[in-house]
């Protein structure tokens, strides 16, 4: 390696280390209940706000960077929950990851809010991939697809769906690998969307306290959402086991 390459490599390593430090400082501020701002993050890092502009051009880029990295880190925990189950337990792995997502969200409400209640800016963050590269979304849509490829449960038919839905399924903007999915199987994407709506809807209401606290504590609305969604993905006969799996994790806290 030449001297120029070595110098460039060191600079890139330092740049990556600074990005990691930006994320660390931002997460500390969130954990402390403080607001994230360029000035606050720079101060926590011992630098000036103008110096931070070398890494994030504005507040939205800062939020996008931190949200992406938080989601990526949290997804590792969701995947680990699935990996505690056998590789061929496709339904159990999906429920394990989704339940772990709920537990993380309730334990980290400000990080959840930053990642999942933060509007997506039109401009690309210098470090953020496209919206369709969302790590947790890819994990769970991948698990749903693995389940379908194993069971071949019935899918919604495009002809039965509204035109706007058909258009979205043929050119989807979601975190999922669907380019190799046949047109006649694109109903699976509709199930991806419905599944996320169910999961996010219940968890967001719980996280932000828009539900009876006794129901939040018990997790029964989350469990009920799974019960109602199970027939859509061919799991009605396995629902008892899956709901018990979710309840066991919820009881662990």
């Amino acid at each position: 390696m030449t001297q120029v390459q070595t110098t460039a490599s060191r600079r890139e390593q330092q740049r990556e280390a600074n990005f990691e430090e930006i994320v660390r400082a931002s997460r500390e501020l969130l954990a402390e209940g403080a607001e994230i701002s360029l000035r606050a993050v720079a101060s926590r890092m011992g630098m000036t706000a103008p110096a931070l502009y070398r890494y994030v051009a504005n507040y939205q880029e800062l939020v996008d960077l931190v949200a992406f990295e938080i989601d990526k880190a949290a997804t590792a925990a969701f995947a680990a929950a699935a990996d505690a189950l056998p590789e061929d337990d496709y339904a159990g792995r999906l429920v394990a990851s989704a339940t772990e997502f709920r537990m993380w969200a309730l334990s980290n409400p400000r990080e959840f809010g930053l990642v999942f209640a933060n509007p997506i800016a039109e401009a690309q963050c210098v470090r953020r991939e496209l919206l369709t590269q969302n790590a947790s979304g890819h994990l769970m849509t991948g698990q749903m697809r693995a389940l379908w490829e194993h069971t071949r449960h019935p899918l919604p038919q495009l002809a039965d769906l509204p035109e706007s839905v058909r258009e979205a399924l043929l050119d989807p903007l979601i975190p999922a690998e669907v380019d190799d999915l046949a047109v006649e199987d694109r109903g699976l994407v509709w199930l991806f969307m419905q599944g996320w709506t169910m999961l996010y809807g219940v968890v967001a209401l719980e996280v932000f306290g828009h539900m009876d606290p006794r129901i939040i504590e018990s997790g029964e609305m989350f469990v009920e959402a799974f019960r109602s969604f199970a027939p859509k993905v061919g799991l009605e006969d396995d629902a008892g086991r899956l709901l018990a799996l979710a309840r066991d994790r919820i009881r662990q806290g």
Side-chain angles (χ1 to χ4, degrees), residues 37-223:
S37 69
L38 289 166
R39 185 177 300 278
V41 172
S43 176
R44 181 61 61 99
M45 294 175 63
M47 65 169 60
T48 64
L52 200 59
Y53 291 146
R54 288 181 293 177
Y55 304 97
V56 286
N58 51 50
Y59 171 75
Q60 187 60 56
E61 279 201 358
L62 172 65
V63 170
D64 284 352
L65 165 65
V66 176
F68 182 78
E69 296 297 338
I70 288 174
D71 177 63
K72 187 167 67 174
T75 299
F78 311 155
D83 288 341
L85 297 171
E87 289 186 6
D88 61 353
D89 186 1
Y90 303 103
R93 291 171 68 88
L94 174 62
V95 170
S97 289
T99 307
E100 199 64 32
F101 170 83
R102 174 192 183 265
M103 304 306 292
W104 165 78
L106 288 172
S107 297
N108 302 276
R110 301 197 75 219
E111 291 196 349
F112 171 81
L114 187 75
V115 176
F116 295 102
N118 168 48
I120 301 298
E122 300 221 356
Q124 291 288 317
C125 171
V126 292
R127 287 259 297 170
R128 189 177 193 190
E129 300 175 39
L130 296 173
L131 170 62
T132 52
Q133 296 303 309
N134 170 275
S136 56
H138 267 285
L139 173 68
M140 293 184 198
T141 55
Q143 290 173 332
M144 287 187 67
R145 180 163 180 174
L147 173 65
W148 171 71
E149 289 176 343
H150 177 68
T151 64
R152 290 289 168 170
H153 56 75
L155 299 175
Q157 298 300 300
L158 291 184
D160 298 331
L161 298 173
E163 182 179 356
S164 61
V165 175
R166 292 198 300 271
E167 291 177 358
L169 301 190
L170 293 173
D171 184 25
L173 182 61
I174 63 170
E177 298 293 339
V178 297
D179 288 346
D180 63 339
L181 197 61
V183 171
E184 60 268 25
D185 295 329
R186 287 301 178 103
L188 181 61
V189 180
W190 188 228
L191 292 181
F192 289 166
M193 294 178 178
Q194 291 177 314
W196 171 243
T197 299
M198 176 274 293
L199 178 62
Y200 176 78
V202 172
V203 171
L205 289 172
E206 290 183 316
V207 169
F208 299 128
H210 296 300
M211 190 182 294
D212 188 312
R214 294 166 295 185
I215 301 299
I216 297 174
E217 182 178 2
S218 70
E220 284 304 315
M221 188 63 74
F222 177 82
V223 172

